[in-house]
Amino acid sequence: MSLNSPIEPDAARPESVEPVTLSDRVNAVIHPTADPSPDAAAATVAKFAEKTGMPQSRKQNSATFTQPETIGLFGPRKDSFSQRYHLTRRGKLKRLTQIAQIVNQFDIVHGLTPIKMRLMLEALGPTFVKVGQILSMRSEILPQSFCDELSKLRADADPMPYGTVLQVLEDEYGRPVGEIFEHIDATPLGSASLAQVHRAKLSTGEDVAVKVQRPGVRETMAQDVSIMRTIARIAAKTMHSAQVVDLSGVVEELWDTFESETDFLIETRNLAEFKRFCERYKYMDCPKPYPELCTEHVVVMDYVEGISVSHPNELIEAGYDLKEIGTKLVDNYATQVLDEGFFHADPHPGNIMVRGGQIVLLDLGMTGRLNAKTRSVLKDMIFAVAKQDSPALADGLLRFAGAEADPEDYPSLLADLDVIVKEFGTVDLAELDIAAMLTALTQMAQRHGIEVPSTVTTVGRALVTLEGLLDEFIPDVNMIQIISDHIAASTSKKDFAKDEAKSLVIEGHQALHSLLSAANEMKVASRMLTRGQLRVNMEMVGSQEPLHMLAEMVNRITMALIVVGLFIGSSIVYYAGIKPVIFGIPIVGFMGYVIAFILSVWIVFDIYFKGRSNKKR
């Protein structure tokens, strides 16, 4: 069996109404009812509407008075993070005690090995399992050995009771489950730390998979993140070293990831977008979502029944060609990353199935996005390594950081890039390990203070996952060869000429505007010169230190002259015998001697200690 080939009106006012006083209007708004219940509030609003002649449709809208949006002298009132997720200090302390006990069991004070760290995160619960999975893709934060071990983390969990699943669905839809689903299997297809999936049948007959989020999982994660924020703030105050990772930034990034993964409407949009992408390729597909049945905590999508790529023998028995599957999977993934900029970020074997001659990608909860600039830089850097061109690789790396990028030691940056070029650039492009190259580049950029987009790290980690899948189940497929062929095919001579022409037009446009701007500046400068208003600011590079030393020398000479003057003046007063005297010396001369002595000692100590500090340099 072969995979399919690709295809490219206002109500009338009553005649008479009961007079309404200003106090009636104020009381109806400020004190709608003594009873805070919605029914009582609605009754008060209705009574006010009868007195004012407000039509029925507006009566209903006026019910919003019970929960108004308010403003104040210092802006609108905002709910805090703790209020939004119902966090209490007592609950945080209880959770913190649990965390401390688990951490103490693993003896974190004496160090963690990669395996111990993985086991500890599993023991800490779903939030920390997700943290470990995210950190496994951030080699610039953790050593590669830890990243490799954390990549083994799985979010498997004990299944939710079937009754809980039904209750969540009823709460989300606000009606009995039987009105929507004809049947829901009691046994889940899979159960993870965030959600679990059940096979079901809609009342309209469609065979679907229902993904239900565990109740309170976001609140649990919010509590853990709140604790992490506190720890990060304390660490930021006690550790000021530039080598310390921005823990607060890492925690906020983790929370952003948690929020997006626990908002199933995002996954619904990802499924719809990826479904449109797959329409161009008959051999690729993904489950179709049912947006009208999807909520923030529930996703309903087509049920996919096929053969996982982790079962190559079953694929062969079904008549599939493993090499064809691997080749088309990698080529399509290169299209996702380098051409579309929207890709599946977790292509592990459990998320890839083959059904009816199509490769079906599951679980679009984790996706990555690359803008056109990042995709262009990635391609250029891959070819720069292949050509062993360190300056071009450095330019590509600095393009990631933007215009503000200014490495402190550019020669050192080039030297480190030379090492990477020698390691990865001495092989043919077809044998280039792109994932390892991106990992090495990211770690090196971190040392030089260059911020590489996190999506690039995500690409590298996804490629490592995909490469591991191929090595284990489809070893005859050369992923790097396919990706390099894809890049070469997407940069044909015709396309290259178009890109070059476009670049020339853009650069020419910029150059023309720069030339006109320079001419205008020259006009202003010449006008100021003719009027005698032109000033020139000059700075001699490296002149600050000599000028500073010269200023210190002048200051010391000045102080020395003052000391000499005080000694001479005091001696003249001594011989003049001016009264009153102290210790046989006129008091004015005595004060002069004391001041001169103190200044002399200060000059000697200043010269001595500054001389020692200069020698240490």
Side-chain angles (χ1 to χ4, degrees), residues 71-291:
I71 61 173
L73 292 176
F74 303 101
R77 177 181 175 181
K78 298 181 179 179
D79 293 334
S80 68
F81 183 83
S82 297
Q83 290 173 334
R84 192 182 318 145
Y85 295 104
H86 312 291
L87 306 181
T88 62
R89 182 171 296 180
R90 184 175 182 179
K92 288 171 63 176
L93 287 174
K94 183 178 179 181
R95 175 60 175 157
L96 187 59
T97 302
Q98 294 175 349
I99 294 173
Q101 290 174 348
I102 295 173
V103 168
N104 185 55
Q105 289 176 1
F106 284 87
D107 195 18
I108 190 174
V109 176
H110 294 90
L112 283 175
T113 63
I115 296 178
K116 284 179 65 177
M117 185 175 187
R118 175 177 62 81
L119 295 175
M120 184 185 71
L121 292 177
E122 290 177 346
L124 286 170
T127 303
F128 290 88
V129 168
K130 187 60 63 176
V131 169
Q133 291 175 337
I134 295 170
L135 290 177
S136 70
M137 297 184 287
R138 302 300 303 271
S139 57
E140 76 276 18
I141 296 177
L142 291 177
Q144 189 61 42
S145 59
F146 282 82
C147 292
D148 293 339
E149 186 64 31
L150 293 181
S151 64
K152 301 176 184 177
L153 282 169
R154 289 292 174 260
D156 297 334
D158 295 332
M160 284 189 291
Y162 183 60
T164 303
V165 174
L166 296 180
Q167 186 61 51
V168 170
L169 292 174
E170 287 189 1
D171 293 342
E172 288 296 308
Y173 295 131
R175 50 181 169 154
V177 175
E179 295 182 8
I180 303 172
F181 301 97
E182 180 181 316
H183 173 73
I184 301 178
D185 287 353
T187 304
L189 297 172
S191 182
S193 58
L194 294 181
Q196 71 182 38
V197 182
H198 288 258
R199 185 175 182 177
K201 188 174 184 179
L202 296 178
S203 57
T204 52
E206 291 88 347
D207 197 11
V208 298
V210 183
K211 185 176 181 180
V212 182
Q213 188 174 126
R214 291 178 179 270
V217 68
R218 181 178 286 191
E219 287 73 17
T220 302
M221 287 184 165
Q223 187 177 60
D224 289 341
V225 167
S226 180
I227 295 172
M228 292 178 190
R229 284 174 173 166
T230 303
I231 295 173
R233 282 196 297 268
I234 296 173
K237 292 179 181 179
T238 56
M239 296 184 294
H240 302 285
S241 173
Q243 297 177 352
V244 176
V245 177
D246 181 12
L247 294 179
S248 296
V250 172
V251 171
E252 295 308 316
E253 183 179 340
L254 292 175
W255 175 242
D256 290 341
T257 304
F258 291 157
E259 278 197 309
S260 62
E261 286 199 30
T262 52
D263 185 356
F264 285 176
L265 290 175
I266 295 177
E267 182 173 352
T268 303
R269 291 193 293 269
N270 290 340
L271 283 167
E273 184 176 351
F274 201 79
K275 187 74 174 179
R276 291 192 295 270
F277 165 76
C278 291
E279 289 175 356
R280 289 174 286 166
Y281 304 90
K282 285 189 174 181
Y283 64 88
M284 290 295 298
D285 199 7
C286 76
K288 181 189 75 174
Y290 293 79

Side-chain angles (χ1 to χ4, degrees), residues 401-451:
E404 69 279 2
D406 185 19
E408 297 180 358
D409 192 351
Y410 188 77
S412 176
L413 173 64
L414 287 179
D416 287 347
L417 288 174
D418 283 336
V419 175
I420 294 177
V421 165
K422 289 178 181 178
E423 181 178 356
F424 297 99
T426 54
V427 299
D428 295 335
L429 185 60
E431 299 176 2
L432 175 62
D433 191 340
I434 298 176
M437 183 198 78
L438 290 177
T439 300
L441 280 174
T442 303
Q443 293 174 341
M444 187 275 302
Q446 182 77 11
R447 294 196 301 271
H448 288 273
I450 300 174
E451 184 177 356

Side-chain angles (χ1 to χ4, degrees), residues 548-549 551-553 555-556 602-617:
H548 180 69
M549 293 176 63
E552 284 191 349
M553 291 173 59
N555 291 337
R556 287 174 182 171
W602 178 80
I603 292 174
V604 171
F605 274 92
D606 182 61
I607 294 173
Y608 175 75
F609 286 113
K610 286 193 175 180
R612 289 189 62 183
S613 63
N614 289 333
K615 286 181 180 179
K616 290 181 180 179
R617 292 180 188 175

Side-chain angles (χ1 to χ4, degrees), residues 295-550:
T295 70
E296 190 175 355
H297 304 105
V298 176
V299 178
V300 179
M301 67 194 99
D302 281 335
Y303 174 72
V304 177
E305 187 170 14
I307 305 173
S308 172
V309 293
S310 60
H311 301 110
N313 293 331
E314 294 183 20
L315 289 171
I316 294 174
E317 291 176 2
Y320 289 105
D321 183 353
L322 294 183
K323 188 170 184 179
E324 182 185 5
I325 292 174
T327 301
K328 289 190 173 180
L329 174 63
V330 174
D331 185 70
N332 189 269
Y333 202 80
T335 302
Q336 296 174 36
V337 173
L338 298 175
D339 299 338
E340 296 296 323
F342 174 64
F343 60 95
H344 195 299
D346 191 20
H348 68 77
N351 286 338
I352 305 174
M353 302 186 75
V354 178
R355 177 198 62 181
Q358 290 181 312
I359 301 171
V360 184
L361 296 185
L362 308 176
D363 192 2
L364 270 293
M366 287 184 64
T367 58
R369 294 184 183 271
L370 299 173
N371 57 32
K373 173 188 173 183
T374 304
R375 299 198 302 271
S376 175
V377 172
L378 270 179
K379 293 179 182 178
D380 292 344
M381 290 174 66
I382 291 172
F383 282 110
V385 172
K387 294 186 293 185
Q388 302 187 39
D389 189 347
S390 296
L393 186 59
D395 291 342
L397 197 61
L398 294 176
R399 281 168 62 191
F400 274 142
E404 69 279 2
D406 185 19
E408 297 180 358
D409 192 351
Y410 188 77
S412 176
L413 173 64
L414 287 179
D416 287 347
L417 288 174
D418 283 336
V419 175
I420 294 177
V421 165
K422 289 178 181 178
E423 181 178 356
F424 297 99
T426 54
V427 299
D428 295 335
L429 185 60
E431 299 176 2
L432 175 62
D433 191 340
I434 298 176
M437 183 198 78
L438 290 177
T439 300
L441 280 174
T442 303
Q443 293 174 341
M444 187 275 302
Q446 182 77 11
R447 294 196 301 271
H448 288 273
I450 300 174
E451 184 177 356
V452 176
S454 59
T455 49
V456 176
T457 311
T458 304
V459 171
R461 197 69 210 170
L463 290 176
V464 169
T465 303
L466 188 59
E467 189 173 23
L469 179 153
L470 295 173
D471 289 343
E472 185 174 358
F473 302 113
I474 316 177
D476 293 335
V477 175
N478 188 330
M479 185 183 78
I480 308 304
Q481 176 69 59
I482 297 170
I483 293 178
S484 61
D485 290 344
H486 180 92
I487 295 174
S490 63
T491 54
S492 61
K493 291 183 178 179
K494 184 177 180 181
D495 294 334
F496 180 76
K498 287 182 180 179
D499 292 340
E500 285 296 311
K502 188 184 294 185
S503 298
L504 286 174
V505 170
I506 295 174
E507 292 176 2
H509 177 76
Q510 294 174 344
L512 178 60
H513 277 273
S514 298
L515 185 61
L516 293 174
S517 178
N520 186 54
E521 294 291 338
M522 289 293 295
K523 177 182 177 181
V524 174
S526 61
R527 183 183 301 169
M528 294 177 66
L529 181 62
T530 55
R531 295 180 180 180
Q533 298 174 336
L534 186 65
R535 296 180 180 179
V536 179
N537 294 325
M538 297 182 64
E539 179 180 356
M540 296 177 63
V541 179
S543 61
Q544 286 78 8
E545 186 67 22
L547 289 176
H548 180 69
M549 293 176 63
L550 181 61

Side-chain angles (χ1 to χ4, degrees), residues 525-600:
S526 61
R527 183 183 301 169
M528 294 177 66
L529 181 62
T530 55
R531 295 180 180 180
Q533 298 174 336
L534 186 65
R535 296 180 180 179
V536 179
N537 294 325
M538 297 182 64
E539 179 180 356
M540 296 177 63
V541 179
S543 61
Q544 286 78 8
E545 186 67 22
L547 289 176
H548 180 69
M549 293 176 63
L550 181 61
E552 284 191 349
M553 291 173 59
V554 171
N555 291 337
R556 287 174 182 171
I557 291 173
T558 302
M559 293 298 296
L561 292 174
I562 293 173
V563 169
V564 172
L566 286 171
F567 272 117
I568 294 175
S570 298
S571 300
I572 293 173
V573 171
Y574 171 75
Y575 286 109
I578 300 175
K579 295 181 180 181
V581 297
I582 182 173
F583 302 120
I585 304 173
I587 192 168
V588 175
F590 180 79
M591 293 293 295
Y593 282 131
V594 171
I595 294 173
F597 176 76
I598 293 173
L599 291 178
S600 301

